[in-house]
Amino acid sequence: MKQYDYLIVGSGLFGAVFACEAKKKGKKCLVLEKRDHVGGNIYCENVEGITVHKYGAHIFHTSNRQVWNYVNGLCEFNNFINSPVAKYKGEVYNLPFNMNTFSQMFGVSEPCEAMGIIEKQRSEITGEPENLEEQAISLVGREIYTKLIKGYTEKQWGRDCKELPTFIIKRLPVRYTYDNNYFNDRWQGIPVGGYNTIIEKLLEGIEVRLSTDFLSDREGFLKLAEKCIYTGTIDSFFDYSLGHLAYRGLRFETEMLDCENYQGVAVVNYTEREVPFTRIIEHKHFEFGNQPKTVITREYPVDLGEGGEPYYPVNDEKNNALYEKYADLAKAQKNVIFGGRLGQYKYYDMDKCIEAALSLCEKELGE
Ligand code: FAD
Ligand code: UDP
């Protein structure tokens, strides 16, 4: 008999959901977390009464009723709707791409006028789009691509739009109505007081060791439990034996300002290439705050150097193929299950991450 049923590497959403469900089934879990706090990338800090999303803007949205019910059992959600604004060389546009954007970009007011212009511009793409550039032009035409997509995307991913997969741009809605909601999902909101409540509830009564890197004593930790749920990067688990998977890093520059309202909206995207950051978040707007001061964060995409945090998997063909090889190695590991954004090398949003964790729970722990 080993000391624990499950060793869970990583205290992000995936690991925490699994730990919580396993505990409900009477399983004994140990969670290891290399950072000095739990929660992974949804962790928040309170600064002068403002909830600061420490690792970038996190807006919860889902069309999955089971997931929505699950998170509402953990915290209360407010009625925040993400309606970011894009700035391009001093011009301001609504996002996602909708009638407000088309009206600002083309000076039109009716859907058929906007459709006519975009139809004409997109005719340069014939056949199935093969990369992000072709996909974007075929969705919204060259002018919007040039002003709102090209610069932002090349900063975000550090490579040419022609070298990126089409699915990345298909995340964004394109609609011919005056609707600035960034998401199409049925439910949306921000946990009142931030995301920490969710993680704290999930990990209630579970042993967590902070500032502990699983890889510092892999064999020793694995001996402690019958099985391991691993939510770190899959290539690091295998000592990069098949090569490094590409991840995009981020640098956050956070500043407190002595003003009440800096940009009037939670997220402003800076879409020209010349501005080095991709977006500025003004955290108080996630919760309609009226504190006298404000906290803003500039988000700079960076190459992942030695020791940098991996934030985004780069799911291009080359890296997906390498991931598949690691996934084969993973299948051969009888007692280790790989999960989450890093363990499965998938561009998961929070709801998809919870959905995947719950589906693993069903398989592993039973109904
Ligand atoms: P993570 O949160 O990355 O957790 C993994 C944990 O494992 C980390 O805490 C890490 O420190 C730990 N770990 C890794 N290796 C080891 C090791 N060797 N030993 C010990 N611990 C280890 N989703 C949305 O739905 N809406 C949004 O608006 C949204 N915005 C985002 C903005 C940004 C900038 C980013 C990066 C992501 C965003 N997401 C958003 C996605 C969301 O963050 C993820 O879906 C979710 O946090 C993934 O949870 P996870 O548990 O898989 O991974
Ligand atoms: N994107 C863009 N311009 C914008 C916002 C997004 O070109 O103003 C593109 C960019 O390639 C980005 C992708 O759309 O990586 C997905 O955007 P999303 O906001 O979903 O990215 P995330 O919040 O996950 O960073």
Side-chain angles (χ1 to χ4, degrees):
M1 269 293 275
K2 299 204 176 177
Q3 207 179 336
Y4 300 94
D5 294 301
Y6 290 102
L7 171 76
I8 295 156
V9 180
S11 67
L13 257 184
F14 193 97
V17 167
F18 186 87
C20 176
E21 295 307 306
K23 179 169 175 274
K24 282 187 200 160
K25 299 277 179 185
K27 304 292 182 191
K28 197 163 176 221
C29 299
L30 170 65
V31 176
L32 302 183
E33 172 51 61
K34 69 176 179 184
R35 299 185 192 173
D36 62 2
H37 60 75
V38 291
N41 291 336
I42 66 171
Y43 175 69
C44 298
E45 267 174 12
N46 190 297
V47 181
E48 302 239 356
I50 300 167
T51 302
V52 172
H53 294 198
K54 183 95 196 284
Y55 302 97
H58 276 76
I59 299 108
F60 198 93
H61 55 96
T62 189
S63 292
N64 181 322
R65 188 183 291 275
Q66 184 202 10
V67 169
W68 184 239
N69 289 342
Y70 190 81
V71 290
N72 275 273
L74 299 167
C75 69
E76 189 189 339
F77 277 83
N78 71 12
N79 60 341
F80 179 84
I81 297 285
N82 194 28
S83 310
V85 159
K87 287 196 181 161
Y88 175 81
K89 303 192 173 173
E91 297 165 14
V92 178
Y93 297 95
N94 286 110
L95 290 174
F97 312 117
N98 74 90
M99 278 309 296
N100 289 303
T101 330
F102 306 145
S103 154
Q104 292 145 354
M105 186 75 67
F106 308 130
V108 297
S109 66
E110 281 159 21
C112 61
E113 296 174 288
M115 278 177 203
I117 292 172
I118 289 173
E119 202 54 54
K120 212 160 153 195
Q121 291 191 12
R122 70 152 67 106
S123 63
E124 67 173 280
I125 305 296
T126 50
E128 197 54 33
E130 286 190 353
N131 53 51
L132 194 149
E133 175 171 300
E134 291 180 10
Q135 181 65 66
I137 294 171
S138 102
L139 283 170
V140 290
R142 184 166 282 277
E143 196 171 345
I144 291 182
Y145 166 70
T146 306
K147 289 188 168 177
L148 301 185
I149 298 176
K150 187 173 165 36
Y152 185 98
T153 298
E154 291 184 355
K155 283 190 280 191
Q156 168 71 9
W157 297 99
R159 56 191 75 190
D160 197 280
C161 288
K162 290 191 194 75
E163 290 164 28
L164 285 164
T166 56
F167 85 90
I168 294 178
I169 199 66
K170 287 198 266 184
R171 286 169 59 87
L172 305 192
V174 178
R175 48 173 101 94
Y176 291 88
T177 52
Y178 287 91
D179 176 0
N180 296 326
N181 184 346
Y182 200 60
F183 304 110
N184 278 329
D185 282 321
R186 171 72 178 76
W187 296 286
Q188 185 172 167
I190 302 280
V192 175
Y195 287 87
N196 294 4
T197 324
I198 293 188
I199 294 291
E200 281 157 17
K201 277 259 182 76
L202 289 170
L203 292 177
E204 214 169 276
I206 293 166
E207 185 181 343
V208 179
R209 292 190 200 161
L210 293 178
S211 308
T212 306
D213 189 338
F214 165 79
L215 298 173
S216 67
D217 182 16
R218 169 198 321 245
E219 295 313 319
F221 287 125
L222 285 174
K223 276 191 203 134
L224 295 177
E226 301 292 338
K227 270 191 161 178
C228 172
I229 308 294
Y230 182 83
T231 73
T233 48
I234 187 166
D235 52 344
S236 71
F237 183 92
F238 293 106
D239 270 335
Y240 310 101
S241 56
L242 305 174
H244 280 72
L245 285 167
Y247 298 90
R248 197 68 180 138
L250 292 173
R251 181 167 65 82
F252 298 105
E253 192 181 271
T254 298
E255 211 183 324
M256 155 94 71
L257 300 178
D258 209 359
C259 89
E260 202 184 312
N261 183 5
Y262 173 71
Q263 62 183 18
V265 66
V267 182
V268 177
N269 290 356
Y270 286 79
T271 57
E272 73 250 46
R273 189 71 195 80
E274 294 73 19
V275 175
F277 45 85
T278 46
R279 43 192 175 193
I280 300 185
I281 304 166
E282 187 171 12
H283 300 266
K284 70 193 313 180
H285 295 304
F286 289 123
E287 293 192 62
F288 320 112
N290 50 16
Q291 299 85 350
K293 294 186 180 175
T294 197
V295 178
I296 60 164
T297 301
R298 291 183 193 85
E299 198 174 306
Y300 297 81
V302 293
D303 286 334
L304 201 66
E306 200 61 36
E309 281 289 339
Y311 287 103
Y312 292 89
V314 182
N315 290 112
D316 59 9
E317 253 172 57
K318 182 173 142 232
N319 285 288
N320 283 344
L322 179 55
Y323 166 71
E324 287 307 327
K325 289 191 188 152
Y326 276 116
D328 285 340
L329 292 185
K331 273 184 215 138
Q333 295 278 320
K334 283 279 163 288
N335 296 322
V336 185
I337 297 168
F338 295 78
R341 225 186 200 206
L342 305 174
Q344 292 177 286
Y345 201 63
K346 277 212 179 82
Y347 194 172
Y348 275 145
D349 279 330
M350 289 180 277
D351 63 327
K352 295 285 185 248
C353 183
I354 294 174
E355 195 176 302
L358 289 176
S359 130
L360 171 65
C361 292
E362 221 174 283
K363 228 167 79 191
E364 182 66 18
L365 307 164
E367 289 280 335

